[in-house]
Amino acid sequence: MLLIFISEKITMPISKISDITLSKIEENVKIHGEIESLTQSKDTSFLTTKDDTGKINVVVFEPGNINLQKGDLVEIEGKVALYNNKLEVIAKTIKVV
C-alpha cells in the first residue's frame, strides 16, 4: 500500500519538445507549450503544440468537455507515438497553465 502512495506522488519531469525523438516511442512524457493550431471533432482533438525548441502534434481521444483555444499555454502528459512517420503525443491529461 505504501508503494502505491509513493508512486502517485512522483512527478514526471518536463521534456523539451526537441528531446522527443524516435528513442522515446512508447514512453510517457510531460511537455509545456502553446497551442499553435487546434482541430476538434466529437471523438478526437488534434493540437499542434510548440515550445522554444520545436513543435509536436498531440492527439486527444475522447476529449469530453475540453475547452482549449489557439494560444493557450498547456501542460500535456501522454505517450510518444509514431504515426505516418511523424512523432506525436497521445495525450492522457491536458491542463491549461
Side-chain angles (χ1 to χ4, degrees):
M1 198 67 112
L2 181 60
L3 289 176
I4 292 171
F5 176 74
I6 291 172
S7 68
E8 290 177 356
K9 295 296 180 184
I10 297 173
T11 59
M12 188 181 314
I14 297 169
S15 298
K16 295 177 185 175
I17 291 175
S18 63
D19 291 338
I20 300 174
T21 61
L22 291 172
S23 67
K24 299 278 187 185
I25 291 176
E26 295 296 319
E27 288 187 22
N28 290 316
V29 294
K30 180 192 287 186
I31 58 174
H32 279 183
E34 177 184 346
I35 297 175
E36 184 176 78
S37 66
L38 171 65
T39 305
Q40 293 180 301
S41 69
K42 182 179 177 183
D43 298 327
T44 311
S45 292
F46 302 94
L47 320 171
T48 300
T49 305
K50 67 178 181 177
D51 67 9
D52 293 338
T53 68
K55 300 178 190 180
I56 196 161
N57 292 326
V58 178
V59 181
V60 186
F61 293 106
E62 300 179 28
N65 291 331
I66 200 165
N67 187 18
L68 299 172
Q69 299 178 19
K70 181 179 176 181
D72 282 349
L73 297 176
V74 291
E75 176 182 280
I76 300 168
E77 289 188 33
K79 186 175 280 193
V80 178
L82 188 66
Y83 181 74
N84 287 337
N85 289 321
K86 292 185 179 181
L87 289 168
E88 63 184 18
V89 174
I90 308 298
K92 292 180 184 173
T93 64
I94 297 180
K95 64 181 176 181
V96 176
V97 292

